[in-house]
Amino acid sequence: MLTSLYIKNYALIDELNVAFNNGLTIITGETGAGKSILLGGLSLVLGKRADLSQVKNATEKCIIEAHFDIANYDLKPLFNTLDLDYEVQTIIRREILPSGKSRAFINDTPVTLDNLVALSGFLIDIHSQQQTQQLTQDDYQFKVIDALADNKSYLKEFSKGLVGYKTLQKSLEELKASKAELIKEYDYNLFLSNELNEINLEKINLEDLEAQYEELNNVEIISEKLSSAKSILSTEDLGVVDQLNLAKQDLTKIANFGASYETLKERLVSVGIELDDILIELDNLEENLSSDPQELERISSKLQIVNNLFQKHAVTEIDDLIAIHNDLKSKINNTESLDDAIVLKEQDLLKQNEKLNQIALKIHNKRKKVIPVFVSKLEAILSELGMPNAKFKVELETTEAFAKNGKDDLQFLFMANKGSSFNALKKSASGGELSRIMLAIKSILAEYVQLPSIMFDEIDTGVSGEISNKMGEIMKRMSSKMQVFTITHLPQIAAKGDSHFKVYKTDSDNVTHTQLKKLKEDERIVEIAQMLGGLTITDSAMEHAKQLLH
């Protein structure tokens, strides 16, 4: 509940600090006295955007601060979500600086307007003619029926499930899109993969292959040169081996004459051994050397294929081709495995669909069950409010598609008079009728859920007499379960209040100021008497005012 309101430097208000009690609070005042200013200041606390033109003195800061007792509102989870410190006595403050900048605070923590709106909607509800029009909107009609049906937990479960369902839908669409894209490339990727697969890349050693090619392609030259080398080394008398042996014999004869001679002899012996090995190797190479045109063709063809693949894939190493081949195989496997992934995703989506349908059915059944109760209560209250022939019908139909709150279409139908037909509420009810219907609905809601404090802004416009008395009684009943404010011009309603405030203007130094005063018992009598008979208060008006109050 709203426990106090402080306003400084706003519109015609210099400074105002007022405390409120529970129950029914009446606010009265002459037209133009500034009741709308009071509502405007309170609206800033609820998240309305600030305007520097609303500041009384543009050189000073404007402050609007409201204190709320939120012990009965179960708002700890919301405070946690908004990352705010929870306080039973919560303070909301708005400031408009001379620069035009606006700031908002909840329990002295700076907050955004979005966060302010998220919280304030649970604290106070300013009911104006604009809000009455909400009654004709689908969202509000669902909120009414679901509040009476106690669908809160099911709606929360459905909303969470719907998020998961849409996530699955999006994932499935992405999988199908990926498959469609990969299918376009599948045949080409498969061709490239097969082409690389045929060459057996893992078993290719490019250096060995090139060496084999060079050997087979130059057999005659190699044979000739091997033979020539052997001849140079081993020709009798003139060959290198024989000449080396002669040199070795000479050095052997002088080896005993000094260490250096001995060393040279040993080195020639080593060279001789190496030459003998070289001759053996030359014999082996010459013996194993053979011409093989078919093998040459095979190797040449393989090298050509490898070089072509290098050029096609713009690489220069076998390892690069292997990496490309692995990537192609992965794409092919992904394409082939997407069908399985799509089937699994479709199965998950079907399960989620069934789960949502079950929750939606529970929501529907609870709505269906409560609608006759709602209609009966509503028609009874409307009869009290001077609409005895008003008839209400709530049409509830199941749809195929999921909406944000189930699978229902809901429509409020209204018939004001006998002999007429049911039509949509927004087409068949006048403004005055909508106000009374809204009051009736709010009073019904108060029986089922903990509503925030509510402020009725002249909801009694266009009614008088006994109807206004009934409206006052309804608001009085509501105030037993919640805090109710009503701005009124009707004495029958004003007399029902537990407390009564008067908005009025004063002039000082050619400046107009708006004031708010809590009326004492005798002041209430005078105020109600003026509401009954005007500024000239008669004895009968005073007596009537006392009767209304008591």
Side-chain angles (χ1 to χ4, degrees), residues 425-467:
L425 192 59
K426 59 185 175 183
K427 295 180 180 179
S428 55
S430 65
E433 288 169 338
L434 281 176
S435 292
R436 280 180 270 183
I437 293 169
M438 179 63 92
L439 176 60
I441 288 175
K442 294 280 187 181
S443 69
I444 295 171
L445 284 173
E447 299 176 24
Y448 289 83
V449 294
Q450 177 63 55
L451 293 176
S453 299
I454 188 168
M455 181 171 285
F456 290 109
D457 181 14
E458 298 184 356
I459 195 172
D460 51 24
T461 300
V463 300
S464 59
E466 182 59 24
I467 303 304

Tab-separated table of all heavy atoms in Angstrom, residues 425-467:
chain	number	residue	atom	x	y	z
A	425	LEU	N	-17.433	-6.048	-26.857
A	425	LEU	CA	-17.546	-5.021	-25.823
A	425	LEU	C	-17.188	-3.642	-26.350
A	425	LEU	O	-17.864	-2.648	-26.056
A	425	LEU	CB	-16.639	-5.402	-24.645
A	425	LEU	CG	-16.811	-4.629	-23.347
A	425	LEU	CD1	-18.213	-4.763	-22.805
A	425	LEU	CD2	-15.789	-5.110	-22.316
A	426	LYS	N	-16.120	-3.566	-27.153
A	426	LYS	CA	-15.670	-2.258	-27.628
A	426	LYS	C	-16.654	-1.624	-28.599
A	426	LYS	O	-16.617	-0.411	-28.822
A	426	LYS	CB	-14.295	-2.387	-28.284
A	426	LYS	CG	-14.235	-3.338	-29.461
A	426	LYS	CD	-12.799	-3.471	-29.943
A	426	LYS	CE	-12.673	-4.521	-31.042
A	426	LYS	NZ	-11.275	-4.712	-31.458
A	427	LYS	N	-17.556	-2.439	-29.172
A	427	LYS	CA	-18.533	-1.904	-30.124
A	427	LYS	C	-19.885	-1.620	-29.487
A	427	LYS	O	-20.664	-0.833	-30.027
A	427	LYS	CB	-18.727	-2.900	-31.275
A	427	LYS	CG	-17.492	-3.117	-32.136
A	427	LYS	CD	-17.781	-4.110	-33.256
A	427	LYS	CE	-16.566	-4.336	-34.121
A	427	LYS	NZ	-16.821	-5.325	-35.205
A	428	SER	N	-20.171	-2.263	-28.350
A	428	SER	CA	-21.526	-2.197	-27.827
A	428	SER	C	-21.668	-1.430	-26.519
A	428	SER	O	-22.789	-1.143	-26.096
A	428	SER	CB	-22.059	-3.627	-27.622
A	428	SER	OG	-21.187	-4.365	-26.797
A	429	ALA	N	-20.567	-1.093	-25.841
A	429	ALA	CA	-20.662	-0.404	-24.554
A	429	ALA	C	-20.202	1.041	-24.681
A	429	ALA	O	-19.190	1.335	-25.319
A	429	ALA	CB	-19.827	-1.137	-23.505
A	430	SER	N	-20.961	1.943	-24.063
A	430	SER	CA	-20.586	3.356	-24.051
A	430	SER	C	-19.472	3.574	-23.032
A	430	SER	O	-19.127	2.674	-22.248
A	430	SER	CB	-21.795	4.203	-23.675
A	430	SER	OG	-22.187	3.922	-22.334
A	431	GLY	N	-18.950	4.818	-23.012
A	431	GLY	CA	-17.885	5.115	-22.071
A	431	GLY	C	-18.331	4.950	-20.633
A	431	GLY	O	-17.603	4.393	-19.805
A	432	GLY	N	-19.531	5.432	-20.317
A	432	GLY	CA	-20.055	5.301	-18.962
A	432	GLY	C	-20.278	3.854	-18.582
A	432	GLY	O	-20.004	3.438	-17.450
A	433	GLU	N	-20.785	3.072	-19.527
A	433	GLU	CA	-21.001	1.645	-19.271
A	433	GLU	C	-19.670	0.927	-19.057
A	433	GLU	O	-19.554	0.075	-18.170
A	433	GLU	CB	-21.779	1.021	-20.435
A	433	GLU	CG	-23.237	1.456	-20.477
A	433	GLU	CD	-23.932	1.053	-21.766
A	433	GLU	OE1	-23.229	0.828	-22.777
A	433	GLU	OE2	-25.167	0.987	-21.761
A	434	LEU	N	-18.664	1.275	-19.862
A	434	LEU	CA	-17.349	0.658	-19.697
A	434	LEU	C	-16.766	0.968	-18.321
A	434	LEU	O	-16.138	0.102	-17.699
A	434	LEU	CB	-16.395	1.144	-20.790
A	434	LEU	CG	-16.522	0.495	-22.175
A	434	LEU	CD1	-15.572	1.163	-23.158
A	434	LEU	CD2	-16.236	-1.000	-22.105
A	435	SER	N	-16.977	2.201	-17.828
A	435	SER	CA	-16.462	2.564	-16.512
A	435	SER	C	-17.094	1.703	-15.430
A	435	SER	O	-16.417	1.213	-14.516
A	435	SER	CB	-16.738	4.045	-16.223
A	435	SER	OG	-15.976	4.864	-17.076
A	436	ARG	N	-18.413	1.501	-15.531
A	436	ARG	CA	-19.089	0.693	-14.529
A	436	ARG	C	-18.686	-0.782	-14.644
A	436	ARG	O	-18.522	-1.482	-13.642
A	436	ARG	CB	-20.610	0.853	-14.663
A	436	ARG	CG	-21.110	2.150	-14.012
A	436	ARG	CD	-22.612	2.307	-14.135
A	436	ARG	NE	-22.961	3.020	-15.368
A	436	ARG	CZ	-24.204	3.345	-15.718
A	436	ARG	NH1	-25.218	2.990	-14.936
A	436	ARG	NH2	-24.437	4.004	-16.833
A	437	ILE	N	-18.515	-1.249	-15.870
A	437	ILE	CA	-18.072	-2.632	-16.068
A	437	ILE	C	-16.684	-2.830	-15.484
A	437	ILE	O	-16.397	-3.836	-14.817
A	437	ILE	CB	-18.085	-2.995	-17.565
A	437	ILE	CG1	-19.533	-3.029	-18.092
A	437	ILE	CG2	-17.422	-4.354	-17.798
A	437	ILE	CD1	-19.634	-3.120	-19.602
A	438	MET	N	-15.790	-1.855	-15.724
A	438	MET	CA	-14.435	-1.959	-15.191
A	438	MET	C	-14.447	-1.978	-13.670
A	438	MET	O	-13.737	-2.779	-13.034
A	438	MET	CB	-13.571	-0.802	-15.699
A	438	MET	CG	-12.144	-0.822	-15.159
A	438	MET	SD	-11.205	-2.287	-15.657
A	438	MET	CE	-10.435	-1.661	-17.162
A	439	LEU	N	-15.270	-1.112	-13.052
A	439	LEU	CA	-15.370	-1.100	-11.599
A	439	LEU	C	-15.860	-2.457	-11.091
A	439	LEU	O	-15.332	-3.003	-10.112
A	439	LEU	CB	-16.317	0.003	-11.139
A	439	LEU	CG	-16.591	0.060	-9.633
A	439	LEU	CD1	-15.295	0.287	-8.864
A	439	LEU	CD2	-17.616	1.151	-9.309
A	440	ALA	N	-16.874	-3.000	-11.782
A	440	ALA	CA	-17.409	-4.301	-11.383
A	440	ALA	C	-16.337	-5.389	-11.478
A	440	ALA	O	-16.199	-6.228	-10.578
A	440	ALA	CB	-18.608	-4.658	-12.258
A	441	ILE	N	-15.569	-5.372	-12.554
A	441	ILE	CA	-14.519	-6.384	-12.742
A	441	ILE	C	-13.426	-6.240	-11.688
A	441	ILE	O	-12.952	-7.233	-11.121
A	441	ILE	CB	-13.938	-6.288	-14.167
A	441	ILE	CG1	-14.968	-6.805	-15.179
A	441	ILE	CG2	-12.638	-7.069	-14.281
A	441	ILE	CD1	-14.558	-6.649	-16.625
A	442	LYS	N	-13.026	-4.992	-11.407
A	442	LYS	CA	-12.001	-4.776	-10.374
A	442	LYS	C	-12.481	-5.302	-9.021
A	442	LYS	O	-11.710	-5.898	-8.259
A	442	LYS	CB	-11.684	-3.287	-10.256
A	442	LYS	CG	-11.024	-2.675	-11.468
A	442	LYS	CD	-9.546	-2.957	-11.505
A	442	LYS	CE	-8.880	-2.173	-12.638
A	442	LYS	NZ	-7.444	-2.437	-12.732
A	443	SER	N	-13.770	-5.088	-8.729
A	443	SER	CA	-14.288	-5.557	-7.436
A	443	SER	C	-14.313	-7.075	-7.368
A	443	SER	O	-14.067	-7.674	-6.308
A	443	SER	CB	-15.688	-4.987	-7.202
A	443	SER	OG	-16.635	-5.559	-8.093
A	444	ILE	N	-14.584	-7.730	-8.503
A	444	ILE	CA	-14.557	-9.195	-8.539
A	444	ILE	C	-13.126	-9.695	-8.378
A	444	ILE	O	-12.859	-10.638	-7.624
A	444	ILE	CB	-15.169	-9.713	-9.859
A	444	ILE	CG1	-16.659	-9.357	-9.933
A	444	ILE	CG2	-14.992	-11.225	-9.981
A	444	ILE	CD1	-17.292	-9.624	-11.291
A	445	LEU	N	-12.195	-9.063	-9.084
A	445	LEU	CA	-10.787	-9.467	-8.994
A	445	LEU	C	-10.272	-9.369	-7.563
A	445	LEU	O	-9.474	-10.208	-7.123
A	445	LEU	CB	-9.928	-8.587	-9.918
A	445	LEU	CG	-9.982	-8.885	-11.415
A	445	LEU	CD1	-9.226	-7.816	-12.195
A	445	LEU	CD2	-9.387	-10.256	-11.714
A	446	ALA	N	-10.739	-8.353	-6.836
A	446	ALA	CA	-10.274	-8.155	-5.458
A	446	ALA	C	-10.626	-9.335	-4.558
A	446	ALA	O	-9.991	-9.551	-3.526
A	446	ALA	CB	-10.859	-6.867	-4.900
A	447	GLU	N	-11.640	-10.122	-4.968
A	447	GLU	CA	-12.022	-11.295	-4.185
A	447	GLU	C	-11.062	-12.464	-4.399
A	447	GLU	O	-10.992	-13.381	-3.575
A	447	GLU	CB	-13.444	-11.747	-4.575
A	447	GLU	CG	-14.532	-10.711	-4.319
A	447	GLU	CD	-15.880	-11.210	-4.813
A	447	GLU	OE1	-16.042	-12.449	-4.913
A	447	GLU	OE2	-16.747	-10.378	-5.125
A	448	TYR	N	-10.342	-12.442	-5.522
A	448	TYR	CA	-9.544	-13.609	-5.912
A	448	TYR	C	-8.040	-13.405	-5.777
A	448	TYR	O	-7.309	-14.358	-5.499
A	448	TYR	CB	-9.853	-13.984	-7.370
A	448	TYR	CG	-11.226	-14.574	-7.566
A	448	TYR	CD1	-12.348	-13.768	-7.696
A	448	TYR	CD2	-11.406	-15.955	-7.626
A	448	TYR	CE1	-13.611	-14.309	-7.885
A	448	TYR	CE2	-12.661	-16.506	-7.818
A	448	TYR	CZ	-13.767	-15.677	-7.942
A	448	TYR	OH	-15.007	-16.231	-8.121
A	449	VAL	N	-7.565	-12.205	-6.041
A	449	VAL	CA	-6.127	-11.968	-6.057
A	449	VAL	C	-5.797	-10.716	-5.256
A	449	VAL	O	-6.651	-9.860	-5.038
A	449	VAL	CB	-5.579	-11.811	-7.501
A	449	VAL	CG1	-5.704	-13.098	-8.257
A	449	VAL	CG2	-6.294	-10.682	-8.234
A	450	GLN	N	-4.535	-10.641	-4.823
A	450	GLN	CA	-4.049	-9.461	-4.114
A	450	GLN	C	-3.728	-8.382	-5.139
A	450	GLN	O	-2.699	-8.410	-5.801
A	450	GLN	CB	-2.800	-9.794	-3.303
A	450	GLN	CG	-2.175	-8.602	-2.584
A	450	GLN	CD	-3.086	-7.996	-1.537
A	450	GLN	OE1	-3.556	-8.682	-0.651
A	450	GLN	NE2	-3.344	-6.709	-1.642
A	451	LEU	N	-4.640	-7.434	-5.286
A	451	LEU	CA	-4.439	-6.351	-6.250
A	451	LEU	C	-3.567	-5.270	-5.632
A	451	LEU	O	-3.536	-5.100	-4.401
A	451	LEU	CB	-5.780	-5.750	-6.659
A	451	LEU	CG	-6.717	-6.649	-7.469
A	451	LEU	CD1	-8.046	-5.928	-7.705
A	451	LEU	CD2	-6.105	-7.040	-8.791
A	452	PRO	N	-2.855	-4.500	-6.454
A	452	PRO	CA	-2.117	-3.358	-5.924
A	452	PRO	C	-3.096	-2.276	-5.472
A	452	PRO	O	-4.293	-2.349	-5.731
A	452	PRO	CB	-1.291	-2.885	-7.128
A	452	PRO	CG	-2.064	-3.338	-8.315
A	452	PRO	CD	-2.707	-4.635	-7.913
A	453	SER	N	-2.573	-1.278	-4.779
A	453	SER	CA	-3.410	-0.129	-4.459
A	453	SER	C	-3.982	0.425	-5.752
A	453	SER	O	-3.311	0.447	-6.792
A	453	SER	CB	-2.585	0.950	-3.758
A	453	SER	OG	-2.046	0.448	-2.553
A	454	ILE	N	-5.225	0.878	-5.700
A	454	ILE	CA	-5.863	1.362	-6.918
A	454	ILE	C	-6.376	2.774	-6.702
A	454	ILE	O	-6.881	3.105	-5.617
A	454	ILE	CB	-7.019	0.420	-7.347
A	454	ILE	CG1	-7.557	0.827	-8.723
A	454	ILE	CG2	-8.136	0.373	-6.303
A	454	ILE	CD1	-8.473	-0.208	-9.337
A	455	MET	N	-6.210	3.611	-7.701
A	455	MET	CA	-6.720	4.980	-7.650
A	455	MET	C	-7.686	5.170	-8.810
A	455	MET	O	-7.298	5.099	-9.978
A	455	MET	CB	-5.582	6.001	-7.730
A	455	MET	CG	-6.078	7.447	-7.657
A	455	MET	SD	-4.746	8.650	-7.496
A	455	MET	CE	-4.269	8.425	-5.788
A	456	PHE	N	-8.969	5.357	-8.476
A	456	PHE	CA	-9.998	5.612	-9.483
A	456	PHE	C	-10.054	7.107	-9.752
A	456	PHE	O	-10.339	7.899	-8.851
A	456	PHE	CB	-11.363	5.120	-8.998
A	456	PHE	CG	-11.487	3.627	-8.922
A	456	PHE	CD1	-11.549	2.982	-7.696
A	456	PHE	CD2	-11.534	2.865	-10.083
A	456	PHE	CE1	-11.676	1.599	-7.617
A	456	PHE	CE2	-11.650	1.480	-10.012
A	456	PHE	CZ	-11.718	0.857	-8.781
A	457	ASP	N	-9.786	7.462	-10.985
A	457	ASP	CA	-9.798	8.873	-11.378
A	457	ASP	C	-11.158	9.199	-11.996
A	457	ASP	O	-11.379	8.995	-13.195
A	457	ASP	CB	-8.664	9.146	-12.366
A	457	ASP	CG	-8.608	10.610	-12.798
A	457	ASP	OD1	-9.257	11.446	-12.149
A	457	ASP	OD2	-7.916	10.892	-13.798
A	458	GLU	N	-12.076	9.675	-11.141
A	458	GLU	CA	-13.406	10.103	-11.582
A	458	GLU	C	-14.107	9.007	-12.384
A	458	GLU	O	-14.654	9.255	-13.465
A	458	GLU	CB	-13.311	11.408	-12.374
A	458	GLU	CG	-12.748	12.557	-11.541
A	458	GLU	CD	-12.738	13.892	-12.274
A	458	GLU	OE1	-13.095	13.911	-13.464
A	458	GLU	OE2	-12.379	14.901	-11.652
A	459	ILE	N	-14.066	7.791	-11.856
A	459	ILE	CA	-14.769	6.688	-12.505
A	459	ILE	C	-16.275	6.886	-12.441
A	459	ILE	O	-17.035	6.254	-13.172
A	459	ILE	CB	-14.370	5.342	-11.854
A	459	ILE	CG1	-14.788	4.166	-12.739
A	459	ILE	CG2	-14.936	5.223	-10.447
A	459	ILE	CD1	-14.279	2.833	-12.271
A	460	ASP	N	-16.721	7.803	-11.558
A	460	ASP	CA	-18.151	8.048	-11.383
A	460	ASP	C	-18.706	9.087	-12.351
A	460	ASP	O	-19.860	9.513	-12.221
A	460	ASP	CB	-18.422	8.512	-9.944
A	460	ASP	CG	-17.512	9.664	-9.538
A	460	ASP	OD1	-17.021	10.384	-10.414
A	460	ASP	OD2	-17.281	9.823	-8.327
A	461	THR	N	-17.907	9.516	-13.315
A	461	THR	CA	-18.372	10.518	-14.283
A	461	THR	C	-19.619	10.014	-15.009
A	461	THR	O	-19.641	8.894	-15.519
A	461	THR	CB	-17.271	10.826	-15.310
A	461	THR	OG1	-16.127	11.326	-14.631
A	461	THR	CG2	-17.754	11.852	-16.327
A	462	GLY	N	-20.651	10.861	-15.021
A	462	GLY	CA	-21.864	10.504	-15.764
A	462	GLY	C	-22.891	9.739	-14.968
A	462	GLY	O	-23.919	9.342	-15.504
A	463	VAL	N	-22.622	9.487	-13.675
A	463	VAL	CA	-23.612	8.794	-12.855
A	463	VAL	C	-23.987	9.686	-11.676
A	463	VAL	O	-23.286	10.646	-11.336
A	463	VAL	CB	-23.083	7.438	-12.339
A	463	VAL	CG1	-22.734	6.529	-13.489
A	463	VAL	CG2	-21.876	7.636	-11.430
A	464	SER	N	-25.107	9.384	-11.050
A	464	SER	CA	-25.559	10.180	-9.918
A	464	SER	C	-26.547	9.363	-9.103
A	464	SER	O	-26.858	8.211	-9.438
A	464	SER	CB	-26.225	11.480	-10.394
A	464	SER	OG	-27.339	11.172	-11.234
A	465	GLY	N	-27.037	9.967	-8.015
A	465	GLY	CA	-28.100	9.355	-7.247
A	465	GLY	C	-27.726	8.006	-6.668
A	465	GLY	O	-26.630	7.791	-6.152
A	466	GLU	N	-28.671	7.082	-6.772
A	466	GLU	CA	-28.518	5.769	-6.162
A	466	GLU	C	-27.364	4.984	-6.798
A	466	GLU	O	-26.692	4.201	-6.127
A	466	GLU	CB	-29.825	4.983	-6.281
A	466	GLU	CG	-29.803	3.609	-5.642
A	466	GLU	CD	-29.493	3.662	-4.141
A	466	GLU	OE1	-29.736	4.702	-3.506
A	466	GLU	OE2	-28.987	2.651	-3.617
A	467	ILE	N	-27.141	5.217	-8.091
A	467	ILE	CA	-26.045	4.495	-8.764
A	467	ILE	C	-24.708	4.893	-8.160
A	467	ILE	O	-23.847	4.045	-7.906
A	467	ILE	CB	-26.045	4.776	-10.279
A	467	ILE	CG1	-27.395	4.401	-10.893
A	467	ILE	CG2	-24.911	4.000	-10.958
A	467	ILE	CD1	-27.815	2.979	-10.648
